Amino acid sequence: MYSLRGWVGGAATVVAFAAGVSTPDWARAEAAAPGAEGSSGNIENITVTARRREEQMQDVPLAISVVNAAHLEQTGTFNVGKLSQLQPSIQFYSSNPRNSAANIRGLGAPFGLTNDGIEQGVGIYIDQVYYARSATATFDFLDVEQIEVLRGPQGTLYGKNTTAGAINVTSRKPSFTPEADAEISYGNYGFTQGKGSVSGPITDRLAFRLGTSYTHRDGTLYNVANGRHVNEQDNLGFKGQLLWKASDTLSVTFSGDYTHSDPLGFGQLYVREGTTQRALNRQFAALAAASGYQVPSTDPFRRITDLDADMSAEQYFGGTSVLVEWDVGPGRLTSVSAYRKWDWYPKNDRDYIGLPITTISENPSKQRQYSQEVRYAVSAEKIDYVVGVYGFYQTVDTSGAQEQGSLASRWLLSGANANDPAILDGLRSENEIGLKNTSAAVFGQLTWHVTDDLRLQPGLRVNYDKKDGKYIATVTNATNTPLTAAQRGVLAPQTYEPEFSDTNVSGDFTVSYDFADNLLGYVTYARSFKSGGINLSGLPLDSNGLPITAVATVAPEKVNHYELGLKSQWLGGLVTANLAGFWTEIDDYQATVNNSQANVIRGYLANVNQIRVRGIELDLSARPVSGLTVYANGAYNDHEYTSFPNAPCPPELAGGSAASPTNPPSAPGTPGGVSPPSCDISGQWLPGISKISASYGFQYELPLAALGGNGAAYFGFDGLYRSKFSSNPSRSIYTDVDGYAIANFRAGVRLGNGWDVYGWVRNAFDEEYFDFLSTQSGNTGLVIGQPGDPRTYGLTLRASF
């Protein structure tokens, strides 16, 4: 594998270069892989390991994109969360690191829901180690070589089952040739970032690599309650590797990493108000007036908030791994042993405004995971295959607390109770939550070269999952007296110990055919399963106030996936066009639903009958003239709940009195109206998915002989567009996020002696957009949101030795 140490035009353009598009002299000179064409103007294919063996990317019958280190650096893409700005098929949403999700094609994790008892559908792998916690997506990359984004189920190739796709991150390896690089950036909002790595030999058989990264940026929201900015960036990370070449056929890589993150955050702010079914005097405007409260600004893009609770988002993240690669017999035996930990210490303001409604909301967690993977891969003239076994064990322990304040009664209760602050003031729930998760699998995939052009590729996986949990909520009031019905309606004590276990068999089958030397076609069917789960966020209660344990577990998702693709090169490799069409149906989709039994209306995790996503993805790139590279890649995604008859109602249909045969539901947004116990949203949008998304850009290079070697001046542009999407599990008229477009520019000079300096501006036109919208609990009608980053600019200096 190799890296291009300059800009190569984004994920789509990397695909183009992999296909043989002409590339700048500086890139051609620094690329190091067999088969370079030199003066022919064609660059060698990029090597990927998507199928657990080294292959040329354009030969892989799979929807895959690659982003190399240089483009990550040039675009300021320093974590998985920001990768969504380069990859239209990735959606990333985060209100804080624990409550984060990276989805591919809209699939992976329920939107806006954090529940330790379920798994991610998108696997994040760093150096072949599966990272179970979604908070991984918020940490800075450490010394990355390249990132592969694989779309669609990957269970027959990867240790942990991933039903929506995988993000495969590869670090730079220790080198037996001394090398070092350093980078420092400064920008507005106090942005400071430093990166560095050094590598070289210790002996003729032992080499090392050390890398570090530090990022700080002031928060983009100003909190008038304490005079500080929130939603900071603050990460410090280290990574070390030792490569032992025991022999020409055996190598062992020891890795260790540690990251500490301690930003002031995370908070959202006032966006607008909508009308719910609550009585008019129970809507946000009336409640705010009765409390003598006014939001600091009704314009969210002034970026002013007044969060009055303590804020924290401190995390510790680290681990070790041992990678053994042994060329034995006709193939390679690989062993990956790993241990990882994540400690999370949050403090949140969950009423989102400067009033003492919910004064404490925190769920500190400690996660530990152990994994072992062994696989054997063979590439032969007629048959290629990969077989493997995988074991995974995880524990998560959470000790949470939520406490209500002096205005909680007014905002959360009704009738006479709303006028008695003592009912909820000091009401406190202390939660003890635990998870033990064991997973084991045997998997394999075979490729039969029927002819030189035709290949058949079956894959199979046998998977076992077991989850044991506990949820203990101990609720007390300020007077240490028995809880009243009103208090139990806000914070309910409950204890239960859910468990789940299951074995399933999944598989896939791909037929690929070379229609010509530059045209590969493939068709794939996959039957996959996302592991079942357990509810670890509390259960709805029955008429006796007891948790309904029948819904303590959720069944596995059952995935049927179909895909058709073409990978092509044109005009002698100057144009590349890669096309993929997909259709995915999921039965028993894991989502938040409502319970209508015993007139209880409370969200919990359960199975939706069926959802569907289908669409087309196109990657285009070209080198029309020397020095100019252009690219565009886009995705169209048609998505819906195929069948979801018992969904939670959107805000405009919630908060009213209970419907009955003689008291039918009111029209949406009717103050004092009647609310249905649940809503049928079959046919509606899934949350978080834009129907149309695209990334596009160009870079022009002007070689300057006076700068020496491969010196050049360059100018680049990268753009992103996303159309409107729903930001609520049940689509609401109040929480659609409007489409937006972002423009990023950079210009710089690269010297021939390894120095590079460039200026950059991101969101150059200061587009006003939201990452997501949500609603305040209690059906008050308050809509809150997280504005996307404003215009940022700065200067970066990089040196390689």
Side-chain angles (χ1 to χ4, degrees):
M1 299 174 66
Y2 67 92
S3 65
L4 299 180
R5 301 289 295 168
W7 184 87
V8 291
T13 307
V14 173
V15 173
F17 284 174
V21 173
S22 176
T23 190
D25 291 340
W26 59 265
R28 189 182 305 118
E30 295 187 14
E37 297 295 335
S39 60
S40 71
N42 291 338
I43 194 169
E44 61 278 14
N45 282 340
I46 286 178
T47 301
V48 298
T49 56
R51 295 196 293 180
R52 296 311 198 189
R53 56 184 182 268
E54 294 186 355
E55 300 176 280
Q56 307 303 327
M57 188 172 65
Q58 288 295 99
D59 295 336
V60 178
L62 174 69
I64 176 175
S65 298
V66 176
V67 186
N68 75 348
H71 196 57
L72 294 171
E73 294 161 356
Q74 292 274 14
T75 56
T77 305
F78 51 84
N79 58 36
V80 172
K82 291 186 176 293
L83 190 63
S84 62
Q85 296 189 14
L86 300 180
Q87 292 289 299
S89 292
I90 294 179
Q91 299 85 34
F92 178 76
Y93 307 99
S94 176
S95 59
N96 63 39
R98 183 176 185 266
N99 189 23
S100 301
N103 289 353
I104 292 178
R105 294 172 173 169
L107 304 176
F111 184 84
L113 175 69
T114 296
N115 192 311
D116 290 333
I118 61 170
E119 300 183 8
Q120 304 295 312
V122 173
I124 298 177
Y125 295 83
I126 300 180
D127 296 330
Q128 305 189 47
V129 176
Y130 172 74
Y131 284 49
R133 302 308 299 173
S134 58
T136 302
T138 66
F139 286 101
D140 288 3
F141 294 134
L142 286 170
D143 214 12
V144 168
E145 176 76 18
Q146 71 177 24
I147 298 176
E148 303 168 12
V149 179
L150 291 71
R151 305 189 288 272
Q154 306 297 325
T156 63
L157 282 170
Y158 282 72
K160 202 74 173 73
N161 199 19
T162 54
T163 57
I167 299 172
N168 188 24
V169 181
T170 302
S171 301
R172 292 170 178 157
K173 301 301 182 185
S175 170
F176 285 91
T177 301
E179 62 181 47
D181 59 72
E183 174 186 306
I184 189 166
S185 300
Y186 291 100
N188 61 336
Y189 289 93
F191 179 75
T192 303
Q193 186 174 72
K195 301 177 183 178
S197 67
V198 60
S199 184
I202 299 175
T203 70
D204 60 350
R205 288 288 184 179
L206 188 66
F208 78 96
R209 187 171 198 96
L210 298 174
T212 186
S213 175
Y214 170 76
T215 300
H216 175 83
R217 192 188 73 181
D218 295 339
T220 55
L221 305 184
Y222 180 67
N223 188 4
V224 298
N226 58 18
R228 301 183 65 183
H229 288 83
V230 298
N231 294 6
E232 289 181 337
Q233 295 174 356
D234 188 87
N235 283 295
L236 175 62
F238 302 92
K239 182 164 188 170
Q241 299 179 77
L242 281 176
L243 171 60
W244 176 37
K245 285 282 197 179
S247 70
D248 292 340
T249 59
L250 176 64
S251 66
V252 183
T253 302
F254 303 90
S255 298
D257 64 272
Y258 169 84
T259 295
H260 177 220
S261 177
D262 192 16
L264 181 62
F266 286 84
Q268 290 76 52
L269 47 66
Y270 174 101
V271 174
R272 55 177 167 259
E273 300 164 32
T275 305
T276 72
Q277 304 271 20
R278 261 190 167 197
L280 194 59
N281 67 340
R282 312 296 300 146
Q283 306 274 342
F284 177 81
L287 289 168
S291 304
Y293 175 74
Q294 185 174 354
V295 295
S297 176
T298 57
D299 178 2
F301 295 104
R302 289 186 63 199
R303 302 177 186 271
I304 298 175
T305 187
D306 62 347
L307 304 173
D308 60 336
D310 290 338
M311 305 288 292
S312 177
E314 187 175 17
Q315 324 176 62
Y316 296 89
F317 195 72
T320 59
S321 67
V322 180
L323 170 65
V324 180
E325 296 176 298
W326 183 21
D327 294 331
V328 56
R332 170 169 291 184
L333 182 67
T334 301
S335 170
V336 187
S337 309
Y339 162 77
R340 300 215 57 80
K341 62 176 289 185
W342 176 65
D343 292 342
W344 166 238
Y345 302 100
K347 294 180 180 179
N348 307 294
D349 191 328
R350 283 304 183 206
D351 56 48
Y352 308 109
I353 57 176
L355 290 177
I357 303 171
T358 299
T359 55
I360 294 175
S361 179
E362 51 193 58
N363 284 285
S365 296
K366 292 187 176 182
Q367 183 259 2
R368 304 292 183 266
Q369 70 173 68
Y370 309 82
S371 61
Q372 175 64 55
E373 181 174 354
V374 179
R375 63 179 185 273
Y376 188 63
V378 173
S379 294
E381 183 176 351
K382 278 292 185 181
I383 300 290
D384 304 329
Y385 64 87
V386 177
V387 294
V389 296
Y390 182 76
F392 175 85
Y393 179 72
Q394 173 186 213
T395 62
V396 182
D397 294 294
T398 301
S399 299
Q402 179 173 326
E403 187 168 318
Q404 304 306 128
S406 58
L407 286 179
S409 294
R410 174 175 291 166
W411 284 72
L412 301 178
L413 301 179
S414 60
N417 288 336
N419 298 318
D420 185 356
I423 294 178
L424 294 186
D425 190 15
L427 185 69
R428 181 181 177 91
S429 177
E430 295 187 352
N431 306 324
E432 183 180 350
I433 306 169
L435 169 69
K436 295 180 180 179
N437 174 206
T438 301
S439 179
V442 179
F443 60 93
Q445 189 178 93
L446 178 147
T447 303
W448 175 28
H449 300 262
V450 182
T451 69
D452 290 342
D453 296 323
L454 176 64
R455 292 162 297 278
L456 304 181
Q457 180 182 290
L460 189 68
R461 178 186 185 91
V462 180
N463 199 81
Y464 170 77
D465 283 291
K466 179 175 175 58
K467 294 182 176 72
D468 296 289
K470 66 176 180 180
Y471 184 90
I472 303 172
T474 303
V475 181
T476 58
N477 55 32
T479 58
N480 290 317
T481 56
L483 299 177
T484 67
Q487 292 170 337
R488 287 177 173 271
V490 174
L491 294 176
Q494 53 181 282
T495 299
Y496 61 96
E497 295 185 354
E499 60 181 33
F500 169 87
S501 64
D502 185 49
T503 300
N504 56 60
V505 179
S506 57
D508 52 47
F509 190 81
T510 298
V511 179
S512 61
Y513 187 80
D514 293 323
F515 294 98
D517 289 342
N518 60 355
L519 182 61
L520 167 69
Y522 65 91
V523 60
T524 295
Y525 167 73
R527 171 70 167 177
S528 187
F529 295 85
K530 179 182 172 184
S531 173
I534 54 180
N535 269 296
L536 291 178
S537 294
L539 297 176
L541 306 179
D542 61 20
S543 57
N544 297 316
L546 299 175
I548 303 174
T549 56
V551 295
T553 63
V554 290
E557 292 182 354
K558 304 170 184 65
V559 182
N560 285 297
H561 172 78
Y562 310 85
E563 186 157 333
L564 178 69
L566 289 172
K567 293 187 171 184
S568 63
Q569 309 161 34
W570 306 92
L571 302 178
L574 292 178
V575 176
T576 293
N578 290 338
L579 180 68
F582 61 91
W583 187 306
T584 305
E585 295 177 346
I586 301 180
D587 295 325
D588 291 329
Y589 178 72
Q590 296 165 0
T592 301
V593 304
N594 276 344
N595 173 63
S596 58
Q597 180 179 348
N599 295 319
V600 175
I601 304 175
R602 181 173 180 173
Y604 64 99
L605 190 68
N607 296 109
V608 175
N609 291 352
Q610 188 182 75
I611 69 164
R612 187 216 66 223
V613 297
R614 60 187 178 188
I616 298 174
E617 298 162 334
L618 178 64
D619 292 341
L620 294 171
S621 61
R623 177 75 183 270
V625 297
S626 178
L628 176 63
T629 304
V630 298
Y631 74 93
N633 56 355
Y636 171 79
N637 192 329
D638 179 44
H639 51 91
E640 70 174 23
Y641 292 107
T642 311
S643 176
F644 195 175
N646 62 330
C649 291
E652 58 269 26
L653 286 172
S657 58
S660 68
T662 59
N663 194 24
S666 305
T670 302
V674 179
S675 297
S678 63
C679 290
D680 185 354
I681 62 171
S682 303
Q684 291 189 15
W685 284 2
L686 295 168
I689 310 175
S690 296
K691 277 207 168 186
I692 299 174
S693 55
S695 63
Y696 38 86
F698 70 86
Q699 177 155 308
Y700 181 72
E701 295 219 1
L702 179 64
L704 297 175
L707 298 180
N710 59 358
Y714 56 89
F715 176 79
F717 161 76
D718 296 286
L720 167 72
Y721 171 75
R722 292 190 184 276
S723 65
K724 178 186 292 187
F725 64 87
S726 168
S727 191
N728 198 64
S730 298
R731 190 180 181 190
S732 168
I733 58 177
Y734 304 133
T735 56
D736 274 0
V737 174
D738 291 335
Y740 58 88
I742 298 173
N744 305 324
F745 297 93
R746 65 187 172 278
V749 175
R750 184 177 50 257
L751 307 181
N753 59 2
W755 289 85
D756 188 358
V757 59
Y758 63 95
W760 44 266
V761 56
R762 294 164 188 147
N763 191 7
F765 303 116
D766 207 17
E767 175 84 352
E768 296 180 343
Y769 68 100
F770 293 101
D771 289 332
F772 64 87
L773 298 174
S774 187
T775 56
Q776 185 185 48
S777 61
N779 297 308
T780 67
L782 173 62
V783 178
I784 55 97
Q786 185 164 291
D789 281 351
R791 179 193 295 117
T792 58
Y793 51 84
L795 186 71
T796 296
L797 175 66
R798 182 184 302 119
S800 298
F801 308 98

